[in-house]
Amino acid sequence: MNLLFILNKPPYSSDIGKESLDMALAHATFDDTVSLLFTGQGVWQLKTDQFAKLAGLKEFTRLYTGLDLYDIDQLFVSENALDTEQLTRDQLMVEASVLNDEAISRLINQQDRVFCL
Amino acid sequence: MTTRFSILVTGSPFTSQAHHSAQCFVDALYSKGHQVTSVFLYGDGSYVANQLMHPANDESHPHQHWRELAQKHGFKLQACVSAAAKRGILSREDSELSGKSSFNVTSPYEIAGLGAWVEAVANSDKSLHFS
């Protein structure tokens, strides 16, 4: 089954980012084909140089650099979101395909299920 | 034709409409002959599994309503173990394992791993998320 997780929330303002990732990893472990799309403030989850510890939080986003262990290699980032948040591709901790809105629409249409927690 | 649904609920019981909407939806599904592979409670949605929830008589009681729907229709009513545990929602077994003095999850509510959700999705035709 092809699943897309849309991550649109910043990493540390709630547990939703962590809980979305946990769910995506569970699906990948059971042989679903999982893609991740970072959009809106969700692009901050991929920002390099996070120091979550300073805020007393666990830096769960480190897991994004080890997703190949779970056979998740489809990472996508919204071009629009990068512009809005004034981030560039080289500020992201992983290689991700940058998609415009039209390409995002095509990506969503290719899925069996789409989740945005 | 029967359609099988997996239902994900992540909204908090009293600061979102998630549970009320999901309950109306699930009841309507069964009235039209469809089925539910699981109602999976995740994130703040898992708070609803707390059997000590005790609202005033004239207020809505999402915990009790899920309980009645699950008993009426026979679907699985599962709360994610990690989401639930960190929010203090514990089955008898999990409570004993973690050395706590009490528990607050009883049947038909079950505590389950994320694998149960993956299975529920795999065995369903459609998934719906209420947040």
Side-chain angles (χ1 to χ4, degrees):
Chain A
M1 194 177 289
N2 292 317
L3 293 105
L4 173 68
F5 283 83
I6 299 178
L7 304 144
N8 65 353
K9 298 184 182 63
Y12 301 111
S13 59
S14 74
D15 267 7
I16 290 174
K18 170 72 166 61
E19 291 181 337
S20 300
L21 178 57
D22 284 345
M23 183 171 273
L25 295 179
H27 278 284
T29 306
F30 285 87
D31 289 337
D32 285 326
T33 303
V34 173
S35 305
L36 305 180
L37 167 66
F38 297 84
T39 184
Q41 292 195 332
V43 293
W44 288 100
Q45 295 195 33
L46 293 181
K47 173 77 177 59
T48 51
D49 300 325
Q50 296 181 22
F51 300 96
K53 242 186 193 168
L54 292 177
L57 298 166
K58 182 173 164 184
E59 204 167 301
F60 76 93
T61 53
R62 280 169 193 272
L63 275 167
Y64 288 126
T65 58
L67 289 178
D68 48 334
L69 293 173
Y70 295 87
D71 289 327
I72 299 177
D73 44 21
Q74 308 258 45
L75 298 185
F76 303 96
V77 177
S78 156
E79 184 179 45
N80 224 335
L82 286 182
D83 284 350
T84 307
E85 304 301 325
Q86 299 190 12
L87 285 169
T88 57
R89 218 183 274 230
D90 58 359
Q91 289 175 292
L92 305 183
M93 66 173 87
V94 291
E95 289 277 325
S97 310
V98 177
L99 303 183
N100 62 25
D101 289 349
E102 202 181 312
I104 288 173
S105 167
R106 278 199 300 275
L107 174 69
I108 290 172
N109 280 316
Q110 289 162 6
Q111 309 299 321
D112 296 308
R113 307 287 160 90
V114 178
F115 294 106
C116 181
L117 266 55
Chain B
M1 204 180 79
T2 299
T3 306
R4 297 163 305 164
F5 287 79
S6 44
I7 307 288
L8 179 67
V9 187
T10 61
S12 184
F14 298 108
T15 55
S16 80
Q17 202 187 303
H19 293 270
H20 180 68
S21 298
Q23 287 162 349
C24 292
F25 186 77
V26 165
D27 209 25
L29 285 182
Y30 278 96
S31 73
K32 296 285 180 190
H34 302 300
Q35 289 175 1
V36 172
T37 56
S38 170
V39 169
F40 196 81
L41 307 165
Y42 194 50
D44 282 355
S46 60
Y47 279 125
V48 85
N50 183 354
Q51 70 153 359
L52 298 177
M53 202 176 269
H54 188 58
N57 286 337
D58 58 349
E59 286 179 15
S60 73
H61 197 329
H63 171 88
Q64 185 60 26
H65 197 191
W66 274 130
R67 185 174 280 281
E68 287 160 7
L69 284 174
Q71 279 158 351
K72 178 176 164 195
H73 300 302
F75 56 81
K76 286 181 184 163
L77 182 55
Q78 301 170 308
C80 169
V81 61
S82 52
K86 73 179 169 191
R87 292 172 172 84
I89 311 296
L90 295 172
S91 64
R92 179 193 288 267
E93 189 186 8
D94 293 330
S95 168
E96 284 168 3
L97 281 172
S98 54
K100 302 288 182 189
S101 57
S102 57
F103 63 96
N104 53 6
V105 177
T106 55
S107 175
Y109 285 89
E110 290 170 44
I111 296 292
L114 276 168
W117 167 247
V118 175
E119 194 187 326
V121 172
N123 294 328
S124 62
D125 306 300
K126 290 174 189 286
S127 304
L128 258 98
H129 172 213
F130 294 85
S131 67

